[in-house]
Amino acid sequence: MKRRDFLAALFFPCLAHRVAAAAKARIVILHSGFADRTPIHQLYSALSDLGHHQGQTADIELLSADGDPDRLTSFVAHISQVQPQVIIAVTSPAALALKRAHVSKPVVFLFVSDPIRLGLVKSLPRPGANYTGVTFSDAFLGAKRLQLLTDTVPEMRTVAVLWSPQFQENAALVESILIAGKRFSIEVATIEISGAAGLPAAFDGAVAARAQAVIFITENALFNHRRTIADLALARKLPTIHTFPPEVHDGGLMSFCPDLRESYHRAAALTDRVLQGALPRDLPVEEPSRFTLCVNMRTAAALGLNVPDSILALADEVID
């Protein structure tokens, strides 16, 4: 304890309490989707491991927009008023909302596929301005998901990609799948989803395209309809591969994505460096190094699908 803080505690306990409170790290987590349906606790845990304990050494405020753009906008206005030391933006809509509002506070993003294309940073090694974070590498993963489906459904000749163009980076992901489709001699039918109400029509479109499987690209508003999506696919006997493990827990066949725990921990580490005085512009944007494959064997059995041993050997999680 510094001498002046010791004297304050000795002679002015009320003042000392205010000094201690002011010393707390002030962090806001802005989530554009459904934070309570994600392993957000891993982010809190990672921050705690670095000494930022909620309510003790840090005031951490979680703002979850639940897929509502208007709610997200109101949260950004709130953030501008409370002036946190650092903002953790979870997913690209959160980061872009802060960018549009010209928020000048340091921002650490995660689950953002292409921060350069989105205009958040100038380059990964030298972000510039007040943004840094951890990418999601989704464009690369599009081709990998197609490969995993091809290995799991050997008779597949046509795959349907169900996606929403509302997310700007989804276009790069679809492009990656189209290029990979040519390499694997797989026809790719792209079907746009017009909100949750359009899900049945989208899956009917996959059937009409004679697809033998589906690559489903979720987004904020659809993530809350995981079980409905799984049921629609199962009713049409369509194996699916998704982005996040919770989609598989709720009945999807497979998912492949960067390791979420690693992403949360690396975002927490960048946040800690900002709180220690580093500037985001000097902190290179990091990319995932670990990826996870999740397979639901109950769904495979319901589809009458024999998942190859080669896929199971690669799986990090198998749901029996």
Side-chain angles (χ1 to χ4, degrees), residues 74-94:
S74 69
F75 283 154
V76 171
H78 166 75
I79 289 171
S80 298
Q81 293 177 347
V82 300
Q83 293 291 302
Q85 289 170 266
V86 61
I87 306 160
I88 302 176
V90 185
T91 75
S92 56

Side-chain angles (χ1 to χ4, degrees), residues 148-206:
L148 289 166
L149 261 188
T150 302
D151 293 342
T152 304
V153 189
E155 70 278 9
M156 185 176 71
R157 295 294 176 267
T158 302
V159 66
V161 179
L162 273 56
W163 69 295
S164 170
Q166 292 182 349
F167 274 51
Q168 296 179 35
E169 64 266 42
N170 281 353
L173 177 54
V174 172
E175 182 181 351
S176 169
I177 297 169
L178 288 167
I179 293 171
K182 293 179 181 178
R183 189 166 72 248
F184 296 131
S185 298
I186 299 292
E187 184 178 345
V188 179
T190 61
I191 300 171
E192 295 185 8
I193 307 170
S194 57
L199 285 168
F203 276 98
D204 287 341

Side-chain angles (χ1 to χ4, degrees), residues 12-118:
F12 304 98
C14 292
L15 176 60
H17 176 75
R18 289 197 295 272
V19 169
K24 287 183 180 179
R26 192 174 184 85
I27 304 167
V28 170
I29 302 170
L30 179 63
H31 199 305
S32 65
F34 295 82
D36 61 345
R37 296 180 174 89
T38 66
I40 195 72
H41 65 278
Q42 294 180 3
L43 178 56
Y44 279 88
S45 177
L47 288 168
S48 182
D49 289 343
L50 294 167
H52 307 296
H53 308 288
Q54 169 68 310
Q56 299 176 29
T57 58
D59 285 327
I60 305 173
E61 184 177 12
L62 174 62
L63 304 173
S64 178
D66 297 344
D68 185 337
D70 293 334
R71 185 179 174 91
L72 183 62
T73 300
S74 69
F75 283 154
V76 171
H78 166 75
I79 289 171
S80 298
Q81 293 177 347
V82 300
Q83 293 291 302
Q85 289 170 266
V86 61
I87 306 160
I88 302 176
V90 185
T91 75
S92 56
L96 287 171
L98 294 166
K99 187 77 172 178
R100 286 192 296 268
H102 305 290
V103 172
S104 60
K105 289 295 181 179
V107 176
V108 174
F109 57 75
L110 69 160
F111 307 143
V112 173
S113 296
D114 194 344
I116 298 174
R117 178 180 291 199
L118 294 178

